[in-house]
Coordinates of all heavy atoms in Angstrom, one line a residue:
D1 N 66.3 41.0 60.3 CA 65.2 41.8 59.8 C 65.2 41.8 58.3 O 66.0 41.2 57.7 CB 65.1 43.2 60.5 CG 66.3 44.1 60.1 OD1 67.0 43.8 59.2 OD2 66.3 45.2 60.7
A2 N 64.3 42.6 57.7 CA 64.2 42.6 56.2 C 65.4 43.2 55.6 O 65.6 43.0 54.4 CB 63.0 43.4 55.9
D3 N 66.2 44.0 56.4 CA 67.4 44.6 55.8 C 68.7 43.8 56.1 O 69.7 44.3 56.0 CB 67.6 46.0 56.4 CG 66.5 46.9 56.0 OD1 66.0 46.8 54.8 OD2 66.0 47.8 56.8
D4 N 68.5 42.5 56.6 CA 69.6 41.6 56.9 C 70.4 42.1 58.1 O 71.6 41.7 58.2 CB 70.4 41.3 55.7 CG 69.8 40.6 54.6 OD1 68.9 39.7 54.9 OD2 70.0 40.8 53.4
N5 N 69.8 42.9 59.0 CA 70.5 43.3 60.1 C 70.5 42.1 61.2 O 69.5 41.4 61.2 CB 69.9 44.5 60.8 CG 70.1 45.7 60.0 OD1 71.3 46.0 59.6 ND2 69.1 46.5 59.7
V6 N 71.5 42.0 62.0 CA 71.6 41.0 63.0 C 71.6 41.7 64.3 O 72.4 42.6 64.5 CB 72.9 40.1 62.8 CG1 73.0 39.1 64.0 CG2 72.9 39.4 61.5
Y7 N 70.8 41.3 65.2 CA 70.6 41.9 66.5 C 71.0 40.9 67.7 O 70.9 39.7 67.5 CB 69.1 42.3 66.8 CG 68.6 43.3 65.8 CD1 68.0 43.0 64.6 CD2 68.9 44.7 66.0 CE1 67.5 43.9 63.8 CE2 68.5 45.7 65.2 CZ 67.8 45.3 64.0 OH 67.4 46.2 63.2
A8 N 71.5 41.5 68.7 CA 72.0 40.8 69.9 C 71.5 41.5 71.1 O 71.5 42.7 71.2 CB 73.5 40.5 69.9
S9 N 71.3 40.8 72.2 CA 71.0 41.4 73.5 C 72.2 41.5 74.3 O 73.1 40.7 74.3 CB 69.9 40.7 74.2 OG 70.4 39.4 74.6
Q10 N 72.4 42.7 75.0 CA 73.4 42.8 76.0 C 72.6 42.9 77.3 O 72.2 43.9 77.8 CB 74.2 44.2 75.8 CG 75.0 44.2 74.5 CD 75.9 45.4 74.4 OE1 75.6 46.5 74.8 NE2 77.1 45.2 73.9
R11 N 72.5 41.7 77.9 CA 71.7 41.5 79.1 C 72.1 42.4 80.2 O 71.2 43.0 80.9 CB 71.7 40.0 79.5 CG 71.1 39.1 78.5 CD 71.2 37.7 79.0 NE 70.5 37.5 80.2 CZ 70.6 36.4 80.8 NH1 71.1 35.3 80.3 NH2 69.9 36.2 82.0
T12 N 73.4 42.6 80.5 CA 73.7 43.4 81.7 C 73.4 44.9 81.6 O 73.4 45.6 82.5 CB 75.2 43.2 82.0 OG1 76.0 43.5 80.8 CG2 75.6 41.8 82.4
K13 N 73.4 45.3 80.2 CA 73.0 46.7 80.0 C 71.6 46.9 79.7 O 71.1 48.1 79.5 CB 73.9 47.2 78.8 CG 75.4 47.3 79.1 CD 76.1 47.8 77.9 CE 77.6 47.9 78.2 NZ 78.4 48.5 77.1
G14 N 70.8 45.9 79.5 CA 69.4 46.0 79.1 C 69.2 46.6 77.7 O 68.3 47.3 77.4
E15 N 70.2 46.2 76.8 CA 70.1 46.8 75.4 C 70.0 45.7 74.4 O 70.4 44.6 74.6 CB 71.4 47.5 75.2 CG 71.7 48.7 76.1 CD 73.0 49.4 75.8 OE1 73.8 48.9 75.1 OE2 73.1 50.5 76.3
I16 N 69.5 46.1 73.3 CA 69.5 45.3 72.0 C 70.3 46.1 71.1 O 70.1 47.3 70.9 CB 68.0 45.2 71.5 CG1 67.1 44.6 72.5 CG2 68.1 44.4 70.2 CD1 67.5 43.2 72.9
I17 N 71.3 45.5 70.5 CA 72.2 46.2 69.6 C 72.1 45.5 68.2 O 71.9 44.4 68.1 CB 73.7 46.2 70.1 CG1 74.2 44.8 70.2 CG2 73.8 47.0 71.4 CD1 75.7 44.8 70.4
C18 N 72.4 46.3 67.2 CA 72.5 45.8 65.8 C 74.0 45.5 65.6 O 74.9 46.4 65.6 CB 72.1 47.0 64.9 SG 72.1 46.4 63.1
V19 N 74.3 44.2 65.4 CA 75.7 43.7 65.4 C 76.4 44.2 64.1 O 77.5 44.6 64.2 CB 75.7 42.2 65.5 CG1 77.1 41.7 65.3 CG2 75.1 41.7 66.8
N20 N 75.7 44.0 63.0 CA 76.4 44.4 61.7 C 76.3 45.8 61.3 O 76.9 46.2 60.3 CB 75.9 43.4 60.6 CG 74.5 43.6 60.3 OD1 73.7 43.6 61.3 ND2 74.0 43.6 59.1
N21 N 75.6 46.6 62.0 CA 75.5 48.0 61.8 C 75.3 48.8 63.1 O 74.3 49.3 63.4 CB 74.2 48.3 60.8 CG 74.1 49.7 60.3 OD1 75.0 50.5 60.5 ND2 73.1 50.0 59.6
P22 N 76.5 48.8 63.8 CA 76.4 49.4 65.1 C 76.0 50.9 65.2 O 75.6 51.5 66.2 CB 77.8 49.3 65.6 CG 78.7 49.0 64.5 CD 77.8 48.4 63.4
K23 N 76.1 51.6 64.0 CA 75.6 53.0 64.0 C 74.1 53.1 64.0 O 73.6 54.2 64.3 CB 76.2 53.7 62.7 CG 77.7 53.9 62.8 CD 78.2 54.6 61.6 CE 79.8 54.7 61.6 NZ 80.3 55.4 60.4
D24 N 73.4 52.1 63.7 CA 72.0 52.0 63.7 C 71.4 51.2 64.9 O 70.6 50.3 64.7 CB 71.4 51.4 62.4 CG 70.0 51.5 62.3 OD1 69.4 52.4 62.9 OD2 69.4 50.6 61.6
N25 N 71.9 51.5 66.1 CA 71.4 50.9 67.3 C 70.1 51.4 67.8 O 70.0 52.1 68.8 CB 72.5 50.8 68.4 CG 73.5 49.8 68.1 OD1 73.2 48.7 67.6 ND2 74.7 50.1 68.4
A26 N 69.1 51.2 67.0 CA 67.7 51.7 67.3 C 67.2 51.3 68.6 O 66.3 52.0 69.2 CB 66.8 51.3 66.1
F27 N 67.6 50.2 69.1 CA 67.0 49.7 70.4 C 68.0 49.5 71.5 O 67.9 48.6 72.3 CB 66.3 48.3 70.1 CG 65.4 48.4 69.0 CD1 65.7 47.9 67.7 CD2 64.1 49.0 69.1 CE1 64.8 48.1 66.6 CE2 63.2 49.0 68.1 CZ 63.5 48.6 66.9
A28 N 68.9 50.5 71.5 CA 70.1 50.4 72.4 C 69.7 50.9 73.9 O 70.5 50.9 74.7 CB 71.2 51.2 71.9
G29 N 68.5 51.3 74.1 CA 68.1 51.6 75.5 C 68.6 52.9 75.9 O 68.7 53.2 77.0
K30 N 68.8 53.9 74.9 CA 69.3 55.2 75.2 C 68.2 56.2 74.6 O 67.4 55.9 73.8 CB 70.6 55.5 74.5 CG 71.7 54.5 75.0 CD 73.0 54.7 74.2 CE 74.0 53.7 74.7 NZ 75.0 53.5 73.7
G31 N 68.3 57.4 75.2 CA 67.4 58.5 74.7 C 66.0 58.0 74.9 O 65.5 57.6 76.0
K32 N 65.1 58.1 73.9 CA 63.7 57.8 74.0 C 63.4 56.3 74.2 O 62.3 56.0 74.6 CB 63.0 58.2 72.7 CG 63.4 57.6 71.4 CD 62.8 58.2 70.2 CE 63.5 57.8 69.0 NZ 63.0 58.6 67.8
L33 N 64.4 55.5 74.1 CA 64.2 54.1 74.4 C 64.8 53.7 75.8 O 64.8 52.4 76.1 CB 64.9 53.2 73.3 CG 64.3 53.5 71.9 CD1 65.1 52.8 70.9 CD2 62.9 53.1 71.8
A34 N 65.2 54.6 76.5 CA 65.8 54.3 77.8 C 64.9 53.5 78.7 O 63.7 53.7 78.8 CB 66.3 55.5 78.5
N35 N 65.5 52.5 79.4 CA 64.8 51.6 80.4 C 63.6 50.8 79.7 O 62.7 50.4 80.4 CB 64.2 52.5 81.5 CG 65.3 53.2 82.2 OD1 66.3 52.7 82.5 ND2 65.1 54.5 82.5
Q36 N 63.7 50.6 78.4 CA 62.6 49.8 77.8 C 62.8 48.3 78.1 O 61.9 47.6 78.2 CB 62.8 49.9 76.2 CG 61.6 49.3 75.5 CD 61.6 49.7 74.1 OE1 62.0 50.8 73.7 NE2 61.0 48.9 73.2
F37 N 64.1 47.8 78.4 CA 64.3 46.5 78.7 C 65.2 46.3 80.0 O 65.9 47.2 80.3 CB 65.1 45.7 77.6 CG 64.5 45.9 76.2 CD1 65.1 46.7 75.3 CD2 63.2 45.3 76.0 CE1 64.5 46.9 74.1 CE2 62.7 45.5 74.7 CZ 63.3 46.3 73.8
T38 N 64.9 45.4 80.8 CA 65.6 45.1 82.0 C 66.7 44.1 81.8 O 67.9 44.2 82.0 CB 64.7 44.7 83.2 OG1 63.7 45.7 83.3 CG2 65.4 44.6 84.4
N39 N 66.2 42.9 81.3 CA 67.2 41.8 81.1 C 66.7 41.1 79.9 O 66.1 40.0 79.9 CB 67.1 40.9 82.3 CG 68.2 39.9 82.3 OD1 69.0 39.7 81.4 ND2 68.3 39.2 83.4
P40 N 67.0 41.6 78.6 CA 66.6 41.0 77.4 C 67.3 39.7 77.1 O 68.5 39.7 77.2 CB 66.8 42.1 76.4 CG 68.0 42.9 76.9 CD 67.8 42.8 78.4
T41 N 66.6 38.6 76.7 CA 67.3 37.4 76.4 C 66.9 36.8 75.1 O 67.7 36.1 74.5 CB 66.9 36.4 77.5 OG1 65.6 36.2 77.5 CG2 67.5 36.7 78.8
G42 N 65.7 37.1 74.6 CA 65.3 36.6 73.3 C 64.8 37.6 72.3 O 64.1 38.6 72.8
I43 N 65.1 37.5 71.1 CA 64.8 38.6 70.1 C 64.1 37.9 68.9 O 64.6 36.8 68.4 CB 65.9 39.4 69.6 CG1 66.7 39.9 70.8 CG2 65.5 40.5 68.7 CD1 68.1 40.4 70.4
T44 N 63.0 38.4 68.4 CA 62.5 37.9 67.1 C 61.9 39.1 66.4 O 61.5 40.1 66.9 CB 61.5 36.8 67.3 OG1 61.1 36.2 66.0 CG2 60.2 37.3 67.9
I45 N 61.8 39.0 65.1 CA 61.3 40.0 64.2 C 60.1 39.4 63.5 O 60.2 38.3 62.9 CB 62.2 40.6 63.1 CG1 63.6 41.0 63.7 CG2 61.6 41.6 62.3 CD1 63.6 42.2 64.5
D46 N 58.9 40.0 63.6 CA 57.7 39.4 63.0 C 57.6 39.8 61.5 O 58.5 40.6 61.0 CB 56.5 39.7 63.7 CG 56.1 41.3 63.8 OD1 56.5 42.0 62.9 OD2 55.2 41.6 64.6
A47 N 56.6 39.3 60.8 CA 56.4 39.6 59.3 C 56.3 41.1 59.0 O 56.6 41.5 57.9 CB 55.3 38.8 58.9
A48 N 55.8 41.8 60.0 CA 55.6 43.3 59.8 C 56.8 44.1 60.0 O 56.8 45.3 59.9 CB 54.4 43.8 60.6
G49 N 57.9 43.4 60.6 CA 59.1 44.1 60.8 C 59.2 44.6 62.3 O 60.1 45.3 62.6
N50 N 58.2 44.2 63.1 CA 58.3 44.6 64.5 C 59.3 43.7 65.3 O 59.3 42.5 65.0 CB 56.9 44.5 65.2 CG 55.9 45.4 64.5 OD1 56.1 46.6 64.4 ND2 54.9 44.8 64.0
M51 N 60.0 44.3 66.3 CA 60.9 43.5 67.1 C 60.3 43.2 68.4 O 59.7 44.1 69.0 CB 62.2 44.3 67.3 CG 63.2 43.5 68.2 SD 64.7 44.4 68.7 CE 65.5 44.4 67.1
W52 N 60.3 41.9 68.8 CA 59.7 41.4 70.1 C 60.9 40.9 70.9 O 61.7 40.2 70.4 CB 58.7 40.4 69.8 CG 57.5 40.9 69.1 CD1 57.3 41.0 67.7 CD2 56.3 41.5 69.6 NE1 56.1 41.6 67.4 CE2 55.5 41.9 68.6 CE3 55.9 41.7 70.9 CZ2 54.2 42.4 68.8 CZ3 54.6 42.2 71.2 CH2 53.8 42.6 70.0
V53 N 60.9 41.2 72.2 CA 62.0 40.9 73.1 C 61.5 40.2 74.3 O 60.5 40.7 74.9 CB 62.8 42.2 73.4 CG1 63.9 41.8 74.4 CG2 63.2 42.9 72.2
V54 N 62.1 39.1 74.7 CA 61.8 38.4 75.9 C 62.6 39.1 77.0 O 63.8 39.2 76.9 CB 62.1 37.0 75.9 CG1 61.9 36.2 77.3 CG2 61.3 36.2 74.8
D55 N 62.0 39.6 78.1 CA 62.6 40.2 79.2 C 62.4 39.3 80.4 O 61.3 39.3 81.0 CB 62.1 41.6 79.4 CG 62.9 42.4 80.3 OD1 63.5 41.9 81.3 OD2 63.1 43.6 80.1
V56 N 63.4 38.5 80.8 CA 63.2 37.5 81.9 C 63.0 38.1 83.3 O 62.4 37.5 84.2 CB 64.4 36.5 81.9 CG1 64.4 35.7 80.6 CG2 65.7 37.1 82.1
T57 N 63.6 39.3 83.5 CA 63.5 39.9 84.8 C 61.9 40.3 85.1 O 61.4 40.0 86.2 CB 64.3 41.1 85.0 OG1 65.6 40.7 84.8 CG2 64.2 41.8 86.3
T58 N 61.3 40.8 84.1 CA 59.9 41.2 84.3 C 58.9 40.1 83.8 O 57.7 40.3 83.8 CB 59.7 42.5 83.5 OG1 60.0 42.3 82.1 CG2 60.5 43.6 84.1
N59 N 59.4 39.0 83.3 CA 58.6 37.9 82.8 C 57.6 38.4 81.7 O 56.4 38.1 81.8 CB 57.9 37.1 84.0 CG 58.8 36.5 84.9 OD1 59.7 35.8 84.4 ND2 58.6 36.7 86.2
T60 N 58.1 39.1 80.8 CA 57.3 39.7 79.8 C 57.9 39.5 78.4 O 59.1 39.2 78.2 CB 57.1 41.2 80.0 OG1 58.4 41.9 80.0 CG2 56.4 41.6 81.2
I61 N 57.1 39.6 77.4 CA 57.5 39.7 75.9 C 57.1 41.2 75.6 O 55.9 41.5 75.6 CB 56.8 38.7 75.1 CG1 57.2 37.3 75.6 CG2 57.2 38.9 73.6 CD1 56.4 36.1 74.9
K62 N 58.1 41.9 75.2 CA 57.9 43.3 74.9 C 58.0 43.7 73.4 O 59.0 43.1 72.8 CB 58.7 44.2 75.7 CG 58.6 44.1 77.2 CD 59.6 45.0 77.9 CE 59.5 44.9 79.4 NZ 60.4 45.8 80.1
K63 N 57.2 44.5 72.9 CA 57.4 45.0 71.6 C 58.3 46.2 71.6 O 58.1 47.1 72.4 CB 56.1 45.5 70.9 CG 56.2 46.0 69.5 CD 54.9 46.3 69.0 CE 54.9 46.8 67.6 NZ 53.6 47.3 67.1
A64 N 59.5 46.1 70.9 CA 60.4 47.2 70.9 C 59.8 48.3 70.1 O 59.5 48.1 69.0 CB 61.7 46.7 70.3
V65 N 59.7 49.5 70.7 CA 59.2 50.6 70.0 C 60.2 51.7 69.9 O 61.1 51.8 70.7 CB 57.9 51.2 70.7 CG1 56.8 50.2 70.7 CG2 58.2 51.6 72.2
G66 N 60.0 52.6 69.0 CA 61.0 53.7 68.8 C 61.7 53.6 67.5 O 61.3 52.8 66.6
G67 N 62.7 54.3 67.4 CA 63.5 54.3 66.2 C 65.0 54.7 66.5 O 65.4 54.6 67.6
P68 N 65.8 54.9 65.5 CA 67.2 55.2 65.7 C 67.3 56.3 66.7 O 66.6 57.3 66.8 CB 67.6 55.6 64.3 CG 66.7 55.0 63.4 CD 65.4 54.9 64.1
V69 N 68.3 56.2 67.6 CA 68.6 57.2 68.6 C 69.9 58.0 68.2 O 70.6 57.6 67.4 CB 68.8 56.6 70.0 CG1 67.5 56.1 70.5 CG2 69.8 55.5 69.9

């Protein structure tokens, strides 16, 4: 992203984690973001800073919403 964060998916947990800043796991699927992803496999950040995630179980591309938990 614009802050040089690196994200990875943890498919078995349905989570997206911030690799280089684990304290800022805004999309970790906990709290207000719980159950947002089922089986995330692909991640991209658009020019506006929005995170988009491919979820293969639901055959969807989802916009990650929310903030730090």
Side-chain angles (χ1 to χ4, degrees):
D1 67 9
D3 295 324
D4 293 327
N5 290 312
V6 176
Y7 296 93
S9 65
Q10 291 188 327
R11 293 178 60 183
T12 58
K13 293 183 179 182
E15 297 180 346
I16 304 298
I17 61 166
C18 182
V19 175
N20 59 315
N21 190 4
K23 292 181 182 179
D24 185 29
N25 281 325
F27 305 101
K30 298 175 185 159
K32 61 187 166 187
L33 299 172
N35 302 316
Q36 190 168 333
F37 309 110
T38 305
N39 192 355
T41 57
I43 306 165
T44 191
I45 308 291
D46 67 18
N50 299 306
M51 179 184 287
W52 295 87
V53 179
V54 174
D55 194 322
V56 296
T57 299
T58 59
N59 295 317
T60 57
I61 298 173
K62 299 179 180 182
K63 181 179 178 183
V65 295
V69 287

